[in-house]
Amino acid sequence: MEWSADRYRWLRKHRGMGILFLCLMMLLLGGRRMEQYAVETGSRVGTGEVPIYSVRTRKEQVALTFDVVGDGANIEKILEILKRYHVSATFFVTGNWAQEHPGLLRRIVAQKHDLGNRGVKAEVMTDRKMAESMENISRTGTLVKELTGIEMEFFRAPYGMYDDPLIRAASADGYYTIQWSVDSDDWKDYGADRMVRGMLQSKEMKKGAILRLHSGAKYTLQGLGSLIEGITEEGYEIVPVSALVERESYHMSLGGVQIKNYAK
């Protein structure tokens, strides 16, 4: 078939639109491929592992967590504040701390709070063999169960530092690895007001958020009541991690958001 001069002129005139259309199609198809790559069932994303930073939920809930450090003086006061506001939280403890404070550990459980596993002691657990990490996590789990009768289901890497073998070790031992999406930065000693304001104004303070504080930080006690009041004024219910995360039929986003798989 012979093409006329008019048809050639039309093609030259509109070739820019054709190239744009082709680019858009490539982006669309590439995006769909990336979505398939980025989302898999469980904690695996692509070829790596991703812990839970937050949860996509329809409920107006956020989870309050504490990394337990230092002596037990602050824990007693934190428990009193939580009891006053009728709030349940999750306390991540090391095996050494649990062994030194069995009475406080049982009191945490008696007040209907979660217990989470942080390994035997607060030390970086990356760059280890999977079997070594499993033994570390398992020892703490066994100790806490002996002291309280509670079998923990959540693990938090000390200092939030993790790698694929560590997450796989925790998973193999029956744990969900939990990070946080809203950090208090309480260890920076900025002051209680700034700590509370920073958390409440965080762009990640939304339903499904996981909040982290340290039990032994200087301003945690001073700011905890105001933080709880601010969160509830925003319309959120404060819950422990156990009430927020999905146990079955979920996948993870690249950013660490746990997403429930809904039937199509």
Side-chain angles (χ1 to χ4, degrees):
M1 182 181 68
E2 294 185 3
W3 284 37
S4 67
D6 288 341
R7 179 168 294 184
Y8 278 117
R9 283 195 294 271
W10 186 91
L11 286 174
R12 285 198 301 270
K13 182 179 179 181
H14 295 88
R15 66 181 176 182
M17 294 179 61
I19 293 172
L20 178 60
F21 176 76
L22 180 61
C23 291
L24 288 173
M25 290 299 296
M26 291 175 67
L27 284 172
L28 177 61
L29 293 174
R32 292 182 65 180
R33 282 188 175 183
M34 179 58 73
E35 183 180 1
Q36 292 171 0
Y37 174 81
V39 179
E40 295 183 11
T41 300
S43 61
R44 180 174 290 275
V45 177
T47 58
E49 304 288 335
V50 176
I52 299 172
Y53 282 81
S54 63
V55 178
R56 181 179 295 176
T57 178
R58 296 169 180 173
K59 299 178 181 178
E60 300 290 335
Q61 294 179 334
V62 299
L64 180 62
T65 73
F66 295 89
D67 285 0
V68 176
V69 295
D71 60 28
N74 273 13
I75 290 293
E76 293 187 4
K77 296 175 182 177
I78 287 172
L79 290 175
E80 290 173 3
I81 293 171
L82 295 178
K83 185 176 181 180
R84 186 191 318 151
Y85 286 97
H86 307 287
V87 167
S88 292
T90 301
F91 291 81
F92 286 92
V93 302
T94 64
N96 286 350
W97 190 92
Q99 196 163 31
E100 293 171 4
H101 303 90
L104 283 176
L105 194 71
R106 297 188 185 101
R107 184 176 170 187
I108 291 171
V109 173
Q111 289 192 200
K112 308 302 181 183
H113 300 291
D114 286 352
L115 287 176
N117 191 327
R118 291 184 70 215
V120 174
K121 57 183 179 180
E123 62 179 0
V124 177
M125 296 174 65
T126 55
D127 297 324
R128 295 185 180 184
K129 292 182 179 179
M130 184 172 163
E132 183 181 355
S133 295
M134 283 184 64
E135 196 275 337
N136 187 310
I137 296 168
S138 181
R139 278 177 57 193
T140 300
T142 299
L143 173 63
V144 169
K145 187 174 182 180
E146 290 174 352
L147 293 172
T148 66
I150 297 297
E151 190 163 340
M152 298 181 290
E153 59 175 333
F154 304 115
F155 168 74
R156 173 170 285 168
Y159 308 108
M161 298 181 66
Y162 63 87
D163 55 14
D164 288 352
L166 181 56
I167 297 178
R168 290 175 187 144
S171 179
D173 208 26
Y175 290 88
Y176 300 89
T177 300
I178 306 296
Q179 289 285 92
W180 57 88
S181 57
V182 179
D183 197 359
S184 63
D185 286 334
D186 49 11
W187 55 275
K188 294 181 179 179
D189 290 347
Y190 285 152
D193 291 341
R194 182 170 174 179
M195 180 193 81
V196 172
R197 186 169 61 253
M199 296 184 76
L200 293 177
Q201 294 178 354
S202 169
K203 65 179 182 179
E204 297 300 329
M205 180 61 81
K206 53 190 175 183
K207 54 187 178 182
I210 297 176
L211 287 56
R212 181 185 75 153
L213 297 96
H214 293 85
S215 66
K218 185 175 180 180
Y219 296 104
T220 298
L221 282 176
Q222 293 181 29
L224 183 56
S226 297
L227 177 64
I228 292 172
E229 291 175 4
I231 293 171
T232 53
E233 286 172 4
E234 291 292 328
Y236 298 117
E237 177 188 7
I238 301 173
V239 298
V241 172
S242 61
L244 189 66
V245 301
E246 301 289 345
R247 295 342 188 260
E248 298 178 354
S249 186
Y250 71 88
H251 61 268
M252 298 298 300
S253 76
L254 285 170
V257 181
Q258 187 193 47
I259 304 168
K260 183 176 179 62
N261 297 330
Y262 291 99
K264 295 183 179 179

